Amino acid sequence: MSDSKPTAFITFSDCDQRIELPLLEGSLGPRCIDIRQLGSQGYFSFDPGFLSTASCHSDITYIDGDLGLLYYRGYPIEQLAESADFLEVAYLLRHGELPIESERTGFDSVIRHHTMIHDQMNYFFRAFRRDAHPIAVMVSAVGALSAFYQDSAEVTDPLQREISMDRLLAKIPTIAAWSYKYNRGEPFIYPQNRLSYAANFLHMLHATPCEPYEPNPVAVRALDRIFILHADHEQNASTSTVRTAGSSYANPFACVAAGIASLWGPLHGGANEAVLRMLEEIGDVSRIGEFIQRAKDKSSGFRLMGFGHRIYKNMDPRAAIMRRTCHEVLDELGLHDDPLFKIALKLEEIALEDEYFIKKKLYPNVDFYSGIVLRALGIPTSMFTAIFALARTAGWTAQWNEMVSAKDHKITRPRQIYTGSPRRDFVPGEQRRSRRK
Ligand code: CMC
């Protein structure tokens, strides 16, 4: 390297080859070794699960897990959760700046007026079994939007991308709510464009043609906050899935469907559902000690759901906000005496004082509290991951847009360490020997 910028060297113990690699720096966060030239030098790097690999440059979200920091476009999550609403945050994630008043009303109006889905989609929903999980239906329904909006295939056109992102953000609450209504055997409730984003979702979820439904403002605010806290989280599994799918310039609706599929797993978006199922299994405050012991015993294979995080080794900042919201909601709705909430609050108290959890830095995570809040809002457990997917659509679309429009855009194509058979010749069927011993 010619200039004095810091570099890193790889030296080999079995030959005198030495490779000099540039160092890259972001505006925040650790330095990064740029290994792009390794392939041309005859080497690959190995990093399953990408634990030490940055896959892209991104201006959108920053996390410091040791300090417990989460910023969207530089704004601390605490400030956004306190003072912004979800559509402002979605605008911020996509455009990089908080909207001024005219931008805000314009965006609000566009999203509110694209909430209906094509009438033909009615038949699509009806093809599923009634007991299908709402996420199974959502994956298919969001993917099916690609068949309705064929203009969205022009992903290199910024205007078409904008329209597709608007459609996704506006229609995902309708799709999520209808997935649930179908499961319940209740008629689909059409969106009410006069309502706010969160209120409209609650309306489509809880209203029936026979009863007027007025969303409770406490519930609306709490749900909006859950949407904000789940809107983006850097290059997690589902976001990386959306980017990978989109790297081939695939249809954006299909890419977001792939993201929903990835989110569905219990190691990712499925954890909030797992928390509630665990609380139900505990069943009574008197059994908490027994479950804590099981969690500490490695041979049991049991973990306390809603505790611990891969990145946050300090309190997850989203969990701290959700904890406050949780208490506000329980107070407001007079639910502190509900047996399941009592178990949750006692479990939190015991785990926070227990040496095993303190030593391993296993704090309650955002899913622990969001599961409790969603239950308090009367939202069925099967819808928890659907709500996560709804909120994360803001992040997925912003990340997809950033990836497609990046100057250094490349189709994603990891390499591998091949561990299969070396070259061998085809053997005709009658000459093959049995492999059985
Ligand atoms: N209960 C009991 N022990 C635990 C737990 C738990 N929930 N989580 C981690 N441990 C122990 C684990 O046994 C290990 O012990 P040791 O050091 O003796 O081997 C140690 O803590 C570190 O665990 P790890 O699996 O190496 O940690 P990780 O960073 O790879 O895993 C995690 C993070 C979230 C997968 C894990 O903490 C876990 O399984 N938690 C329960 C599931 C959960 O709540 N998931 C939601 C995550 S937040 C959602 C999101 O942001 O997407």
Side-chain angles (χ1 to χ4, degrees), residues 298 303-304 306-307 309-310 313 318 356 360 365 367:
K298 270 213 175 25
R303 287 185 169 197
L304 275 193
F307 285 79
H309 197 276
R310 165 59 65 78
K313 299 304 174 192
R318 303 168 302 170
Y356 172 92
K360 293 190 187 296
N365 58 45
D367 286 331

Side-chain angles (χ1 to χ4, degrees), residues 13 63 71 126 167 190-191 232 295 368:
S13 59
I63 302 173
Y71 300 161
R126 290 177 204 286
R167 282 175 175 155
Y190 281 84
D232 198 47
F368 182 73

Side-chain angles (χ1 to χ4, degrees), residues 12-31:
F12 297 80
S13 59
D14 61 346
C15 65
D16 44 12
Q17 189 180 5
R18 200 164 97 118
I19 302 174
E20 187 176 10
L21 298 169
L23 291 178
L24 303 176
E25 281 194 58
S27 45
L28 292 170
R31 292 197 293 185

Side-chain angles (χ1 to χ4, degrees), residues 233 236 263 266-269 271-272 275 295-296 298 302-313 316 318 356-357 360 362 365-368 388 392:
H233 211 226
N236 54 80
L263 185 80
L267 298 186
H268 192 6
N272 50 16
V275 170
K296 291 187 203 174
K298 270 213 175 25
F302 172 76
R303 287 185 169 197
L304 275 193
M305 287 292 126
F307 285 79
H309 197 276
R310 165 59 65 78
I311 293 184
Y312 296 114
K313 299 304 174 192
D316 174 345
R318 303 168 302 170
Y356 172 92
F357 289 87
K360 293 190 187 296
L362 297 171
N365 58 45
V366 66
D367 286 331
F368 182 73
F388 194 160
R392 190 53 62 85

